[in-house]
Amino acid sequence: MASYSEETVAVPVGTTLDRFIKRRQQASPAATGELSQLLRDIALAAKIVQREVSRAGLLAITGGFGTENQHGEAQQKLDMIAHVRFLRALRNGGEVAAIVSEEEDSIVHTGNQQGKYVVAIDPLDGSSNIDVNVSIGTIFSIYRRQSPIGGPVVESDFLQGGHQQVAAGYVLYGTSTMLVYTTGQGVNGFTYDGSLGEFFLSHANLTTPVDGRIYSCNEGNLADFPTGIQHYISQCRENRFTARYIGALIADVHRNLLKGGVYLYPATRQAPNGKLRLLYECFPMAFLVEQAGGSATDGRQRLLDIPIEKLHQRSPLIIGSTSLVNAVSQLY
Ligand code: AHG
Ligand code: MN
Ligand code: MN
């Protein structure tokens, strides 16, 4: 038989998330495989949620759930579905002892008291986009618990501070579904191939541009922003920057991560501490964006330095390309 090259006969499908996680684990001799299993559980829940999101209009799962979360926001059916999907995957996986979710007031114990990890999660980010078929996502943040293994998880396990995150990431249910995460050694992005039911490495060692020309904020609130932010927005307009705001933190940050830009959710008159939540929105996104070479601040200090006292604490967030974030901080 004539010689042939494998690649011309069949193009390789690429590196699956599973294989990537396994290789990373093998490269770190101290790893026990528990974090790897946890990341796989997150990917499994992400696949299930993506299946539901992709058929939302057909499954009668759009619209309100009829309840409010502790922030007084109406819970959507998909908020609760995503919450249950992730909770179940993490409980059945066995590595996670407890979770904190945007959709529950207090800590949810999984029953796995032997679990070494706790997870904070925004199961569905960008709720207002659900019913109109616009991008939404999931944000997750993983800590190694400090309380003794075998006993109950306590609140301080979740209040260790942003620097103590072991891993963080997001799933974007957009024109394609992506899982992007960091374990503190850079950022990698995976795109879901529904025909194979697998995430494949598509954005290896993702880094964000230092500079950019996109600004993303809810400009309808401009009059209520701090004056420093108002000045910054005026500069953006004078410099003919591009305004882009999807209304889902993940989608806005993801776009800016790839293209260069800044996302701002500052304090407003109505929300003096900002709107976004430190534990499951700001900390994980700040960790990930910093790992990609970007920056995050609340306007006054590095976001990861903010002391956290309450599970559902809010914070202003300015995040994205380092030179733009610095420019905002200087005007603050
Ligand atoms: P969630 O859907 O998890 O409550 O988060 C929505 C957040 C964030 O994703 C988005 O950027 C922001 O709220 C939008 O708020 P405004 O509608 O006030 O612009
Ligand atoms: Mn959110
Ligand atoms: Mn949410």
Side-chain angles (χ1 to χ4, degrees):
M1 190 184 167
S3 68
Y4 64 94
S5 102
E6 260 183 40
E7 274 68 19
T8 53
V9 176
V11 179
V13 290
T15 305
T16 64
L17 175 63
D18 260 8
R19 229 176 253 169
F20 182 88
I21 291 171
K22 195 169 166 201
R23 281 187 198 149
R24 278 285 165 102
Q25 184 195 324
Q26 284 163 345
S28 139
T32 57
E34 289 154 301
L35 181 62
S36 300
Q37 181 56 43
L38 201 175
L39 292 168
R40 282 193 209 100
D41 295 334
I42 286 178
L44 172 65
K47 287 183 200 177
I48 299 170
V49 172
Q50 97 77 33
R51 185 183 67 180
E52 277 158 336
V53 165
S54 70
R55 295 185 297 160
L58 298 173
L59 297 180
I61 54 173
T62 56
F65 188 65
T67 51
E68 286 185 350
N69 64 18
Q70 73 289 334
H71 306 287
E73 300 156 349
Q75 288 172 306
Q76 303 297 300
K77 286 180 198 157
L78 258 174
D79 283 325
M80 291 309 295
I81 290 171
H83 166 79
V84 169
R85 290 293 182 199
F86 276 89
L87 170 61
R88 203 178 273 156
L90 295 172
R91 185 199 286 137
N92 293 342
E95 317 301 344
V96 176
I99 72 165
V100 162
S101 162
E102 182 190 352
E103 307 308 337
E104 289 263 9
D105 300 359
S106 36
I107 296 174
V108 183
H109 298 272
T110 59
N112 307 319
Q113 292 202 345
Q114 296 301 328
K116 270 192 202 161
Y117 294 98
V118 296
V119 174
I121 188 166
D122 177 355
L124 209 119
D125 176 65
S127 304
S128 68
N129 287 351
I130 295 172
D131 289 358
V132 290
N133 201 358
V134 178
S135 295
I136 50 183
T138 298
I139 313 176
F140 60 91
S141 165
I142 303 173
Y143 295 85
R144 198 168 283 116
R145 64 186 287 197
Q146 299 297 310
S147 54
I149 311 271
V153 164
V154 293
E155 210 165 87
S156 56
D157 286 321
F158 287 96
L159 304 178
Q160 299 179 42
H163 289 288
Q164 298 306 315
Q165 292 174 96
V166 173
Y170 59 83
V171 185
L172 173 62
Y173 313 101
T175 42
S176 57
T177 295
M178 282 193 74
L179 191 154
V180 182
Y181 82 99
T182 180
T183 54
Q185 300 165 288
V187 176
N188 289 281
F190 300 79
T191 301
Y192 184 64
D193 180 340
S195 66
L196 295 171
E198 295 272 13
F199 284 100
F200 286 94
L201 182 60
S202 53
H203 297 66
N205 296 317
L206 215 166
T207 55
T208 191
V210 178
D211 216 337
R213 298 185 55 79
I214 299 175
Y215 72 105
S216 313
C217 66
N218 188 339
E219 232 167 310
N221 295 332
L222 188 69
D224 295 322
F225 287 168
T227 44
I229 300 283
Q230 291 182 3
H231 287 148
Y232 183 74
I233 304 297
S234 308
Q235 282 184 8
C236 290
R237 289 170 168 178
E238 279 157 24
N239 292 323
R240 302 292 186 270
F241 274 25
T242 293
R244 289 283 183 273
Y245 191 68
I246 296 169
L249 168 69
I250 294 182
D252 281 307
V253 170
H254 179 76
R255 180 202 50 246
N256 293 356
L257 193 67
L258 298 184
K259 295 195 159 184
V262 61
Y263 171 95
L264 312 99
Y265 210 110
T268 62
R269 235 185 290 267
Q270 297 81 354
N273 300 319
K275 174 186 183 188
L276 300 173
R277 280 59 51 111
L278 259 183
L279 187 61
Y280 42 81
E281 292 179 317
C282 303
F283 276 163
M285 297 310 271
F287 181 29
L288 188 140
V289 166
E290 282 197 4
Q291 282 292 318
S295 298
T297 166
D298 67 353
R300 295 194 167 81
Q301 59 183 325
R302 185 177 168 198
L303 201 119
L304 290 177
D305 289 342
I306 298 176
I308 179 162
E309 285 150 17
K310 287 191 296 192
L311 297 178
H312 298 285
Q313 189 170 322
R314 295 176 191 269
S315 170
L317 176 67
I318 295 130
I319 187 166
S321 296
T322 296
S323 72
L324 301 186
V325 173
N326 288 346
V328 180
S329 300
Q330 272 157 25
L331 290 173
Y332 220 81

